[in-house]
Amino acid sequence: MTRGPLLVPVLGDQLTPTLSSLSGCTPADTMVLLMELVDEATYVRHHQAKIALILSAMRHFADELRADGWRVDYVRLDDPASTGSFTGEVMRAAQRHGARGVRVTEPGEWRVRQMIDGWADATGLPVEVLSDTRFVCPLPDFFQWAAGRRESRMEYFYRDMRRRTGLLMHGDQPEGGRWNFDAENRSGPAPGLNPPAPLVFAPDAVTQDVIAMVRDRFGHHFGSVDRFGWPVTRGDAAQLLNHFITHRLPQFGQWQDAMLAGHDTMFHALIAPAMNLGLIDPVDACRAAQAAYQAGHAPLAAVEGFVRQIIGWREYIRGMYWLTMPDLADANALNATRPLPEFWWTGETRMRCMAQAVRTTHDNAYAHHIQRLMVLGNFALLAGLRPQDVSDWFLAVYADAYEWVELPNVAGMALHADGGRLASKPYAASGAYINRMSDYCGSCHYAVKQKTGPQACPFNALYWHFLDRNAAKLARNPRMAQMYATWNRMGEDKRADTIASAEAFLATLQPARPGWARDTSS
Ligand code: FAD
Ligand code: DLZ
Ligand code: SF4
């Protein structure tokens, strides 16, 4: 019988010392395995900065574990013997160390779960898969919560999470007497609004090495590493969170939905990349925000808004991912078939809002929530872009993108491709919304107030085109009734003009060249 160590593979987004797979293990009896993998960098062609972030954070985490006394086997990307895949490397490591078994925390992605489910056969060893305790809601609890309901809406789930964590609670009652202060969190930008500069971290020697390797191996991927400034250690991530709590949280709520040209981060926290890697604990982040409220530093509406995003939306999105996979990956309830346009990769468009969103995505591997939902997502919804193309794009380009959080946001929240399981109505909006929430439209090539014709803001005619072509699926939704009533009241000529205008715009869209998101050579 083999008496070697227990092999504990730690995946690239499991960089947490209290990870369930490590808890209860003793360093002397355990071999931790971290793997830099070509397959993971290329199954979609991730943004260069995202690859640099993950690999640098992995290298720093290996050092952190070694400093805590763990034995770490670290497979580098350029290891000539590497197979490039999770399964291949677990098999090699199991042999190398004569492992007696494998222990792993459940992964974030369906695709990786399928691989792990094959490890027992591949290695001939017992494989234990443990729950990811870095989330507030264990998956079985989410499934049970969803099973008893006709509609599994976020708001009710969120209240359960408030009760479960005790965040912003007085006994069983919500702080301030209300669960939700969303209505106070929707202001358009005020004149002179000047968000604070984001905190950026100069790459240390480890990150510089990784950046050089990424330029060399993945320089043809979308994006740039020229302005890389993400935190890659637990200490830097804590500093980023503190910076947010001190300088941004007090105004986060009020300007949460606002957009300003050139201000790529507004008052947002910028913590999702670090949190999704495991460098920031979600509940700790919420407690820090709660403490700021208790100290009188930040208003309740801002703090509640922040807490809702994390223990509400983030947890709910994860639950919905595992509840609806694998079907969610192919969902296309609105039969949207238009290919992703090339300008999503090049940024070459005269639509100023879209150009701003693609530029910050390219430069920083980041765009804030309203750019993702109400500019990019809204465009994809109205133009009828194919959900799988849109999802590949979102998965590739953002530093915080892993399928468990990207796919439900794209297919469910932005595109309504899940038929409304996640959101009760599509987030569809015309140019007026973007004009109200941003300063983009004033110097755009297009006229936001013009409804039809080549100079008109494309969102305007596209909005009605979307409603018209999806009437059979959406007109009976009570939350859409007013929009359909307005459309039906419009004169025949005006409607025909609107449809023609939208179709003229759609005809100008050049489909993206193959190979941006996925390798199409084989
Ligand atoms: P803030 O705006 O400061 O919010 C604070 C935190 O709340 C975030 O860090 C995040 O952890 C959490 N949060 C807020 N909204 C959501 C949400 N809808 N789902 C999950 N967590 C949320 N988030 C990702 O982490 N990865 C993704 O790949 C991703 N893809 C998205 C795609 C679309 C189409 C949309 C509409 C949203 C997506 N989001 C994604 C959610 C959200 O936009 C990002 O979490 C946020 O922009 C990250 O920036 P921040 O840390 O500055 O967030
Ligand atoms: C996204 C990513 C990348 C680019 N590289 C690695 C890697 O080299 N090694 C690794 O363990 N994980 C990587 N990841 C994250 C995985 O693709 C995967 O998304 C997560 O482990 C979630 O299942
Ligand atoms: Fe975007 Fe239309 Fe405004 Fe131009 S006019 S920035 S396309 S919403």
Side-chain angles (χ1 to χ4, degrees), residues 258-282:
M259 300 175 277
L260 285 174
H263 288 281
D264 297 334
T265 65
M266 297 300 294
F267 293 90
H268 292 273
L270 311 179
I271 56 173
M275 193 181 288
N276 295 348
L277 283 173
L279 300 180
I280 294 175
D281 180 75

Side-chain angles (χ1 to χ4, degrees), residues 10-15 33-44 46-47 50-52 54-55 58 74-75 77 86 106-113 116 277 322 395 401-404:
V10 171
L11 312 184
D13 58 353
Q14 298 185 337
L15 310 182
L33 174 69
L34 280 125
M35 301 156 272
E36 295 182 359
L37 301 168
V38 172
D39 284 9
E40 293 307 304
T42 56
Y43 75 91
V44 290
H46 299 288
H47 190 296
K50 178 182 182 183
I51 301 176
I54 295 171
L55 299 192
M58 286 172 65
Y74 193 97
V75 180
L77 195 81
F86 278 126
E106 63 190 347
E109 300 188 345
W110 178 271
R111 177 184 65 83
V112 181
R113 180 71 207 220
I116 292 176
L277 283 173
W322 288 102
L395 185 57
Y402 301 88
E403 197 184 70
W404 67 266

Side-chain angles (χ1 to χ4, degrees), residues 190-221:
L193 185 66
N194 192 16
L199 184 62
V200 291
F201 297 85
D204 64 5
V206 172
T207 305
Q208 284 174 24
D209 271 2
V210 171
I211 285 177
M213 183 175 75
V214 167
R215 280 203 177 103
D216 183 39
R217 304 246 345 217
F218 307 112
H220 57 292
H221 286 202

Side-chain angles (χ1 to χ4, degrees), residues 351-354 431 434-435 440-441 444 446-448 457-459:
M351 300 176 76
R352 190 155 182 252
C353 51
M354 290 294 288
I434 295 174
N435 192 31
Y440 296 151
C441 302
C444 181
Y446 295 106
V448 71
C457 167
F459 279 108

Side-chain angles (χ1 to χ4, degrees), residues 269-390:
L270 311 179
I271 56 173
M275 193 181 288
N276 295 348
L277 283 173
L279 300 180
I280 294 175
D281 180 75
V283 174
D284 285 355
C286 294
R287 290 216 179 93
Q290 176 176 255
Y293 163 66
Q294 286 163 343
H297 172 64
L300 181 56
V303 173
E304 188 281 315
F306 179 70
V307 167
R308 176 156 26 92
Q309 303 312 313
I310 294 181
I311 61 165
W313 277 112
R314 186 172 184 272
E315 294 280 335
Y316 171 78
I317 286 280
R318 176 194 184 234
M320 290 302 280
Y321 173 75
W322 288 102
L323 187 69
T324 54
M325 278 299 278
D327 296 351
L328 187 63
D330 297 320
N332 193 357
L334 300 180
N335 294 327
T337 53
R338 192 175 304 282
L340 193 86
E342 176 77 357
F343 83 81
W344 278 57
W345 297 105
T346 63
E348 285 165 17
T349 169
R350 290 183 295 191
M351 300 176 76
R352 190 155 182 252
C353 51
M354 290 294 288
Q356 286 279 325
V358 175
R359 181 200 44 75
T360 177
T361 303
H362 176 275
D363 292 353
N364 308 312
Y366 180 85
H368 62 71
H369 186 68
I370 292 302
Q371 289 178 305
R372 296 189 204 195
L373 183 62
M374 298 310 295
V375 178
L376 295 159
N378 186 30
F379 181 93
L381 175 75
L382 301 190
L385 304 187
R386 206 176 142 259
Q388 289 70 29
D389 285 11
V390 182

